[in-house]
Amino acid sequence: MNVERLIGLIEILLKNEKEINIQENLTQLNTALTNFVATPSEPSYQIEVSEKVEDLEKNVSKMVEMYDPPQMRLLDRIGALEYFGEKVVQNIKETIRENSMTPAVVEEAVRDLLKNRENYIETLNITYESLTALNIEADYLEEGSAEIGFQLPRDIFKNELDGLIKELRVLKRIIRAFSEVSTGSVEPIEIRQGQSLF
């Protein structure tokens, strides 16, 4: 993943969080759990906890549907799915199942998740602001264009320039063939980014 793609991913993630606000769902669930722990005999608090878990699940699903499979892989790579993916709800439901007689344990787990998630969002904000301050911007593809990334292991060309040139010619022929099939003509091949962050 290159820096431009990373900043674009963070930008989308923060925008979607602002729109859907899973953090607010977790805060409401935490409040409902606090009420339930304080007065476990009150049935309305138990119902409220159940409703807040359902609300959280709906919004997490809504958030996950906003990403395509390649974006999901990138989100997993930066550890975001732990705080923005279906694992959030799965972990909470599992904790509730395992600790049905001790709601205080569930409350503590949700409180910890809320705090860790808040720290993660803050890290995303700091990273975004830092990269923006360095004039690094997200690199989005124009409609109708495509991008292919390659990593050429040094073993293939044994660190020799002639070997690298030979491999690049093979790639050029492959890309030209795809270009001709999709557009009917051979489009120029443009190198957009040559350095990888990871």
Side-chain angles (χ1 to χ4, degrees), residues 12-13 16 19-20 22 56-72 75 81 84-86:
I12 291 167
L13 200 53
N16 291 344
E19 181 184 319
I20 295 175
I22 290 172
L56 176 66
E57 189 168 24
K58 281 179 198 166
N59 281 340
V60 167
S61 293
K62 195 175 181 183
M63 174 82 85
V64 168
E65 287 171 7
M66 297 173 107
Y67 303 106
D68 57 33
Q71 286 175 321
M72 290 296 284
L75 290 172
L81 292 185
F84 293 87
E86 292 167 346

Side-chain angles (χ1 to χ4, degrees), residues 182-193:
S182 64
T183 65
S185 65
V186 178
E187 300 287 324
I189 300 167
E190 179 184 331
I191 297 174
R192 290 169 52 91
Q193 297 151 5

Side-chain angles (χ1 to χ4, degrees), residues 156-168:
I156 292 177
F157 53 91
K158 298 175 180 57
N159 289 332
E160 294 178 8
L161 184 59
D162 287 342
L164 175 61
I165 291 169
K166 181 182 172 190
E167 294 303 322
L168 290 174

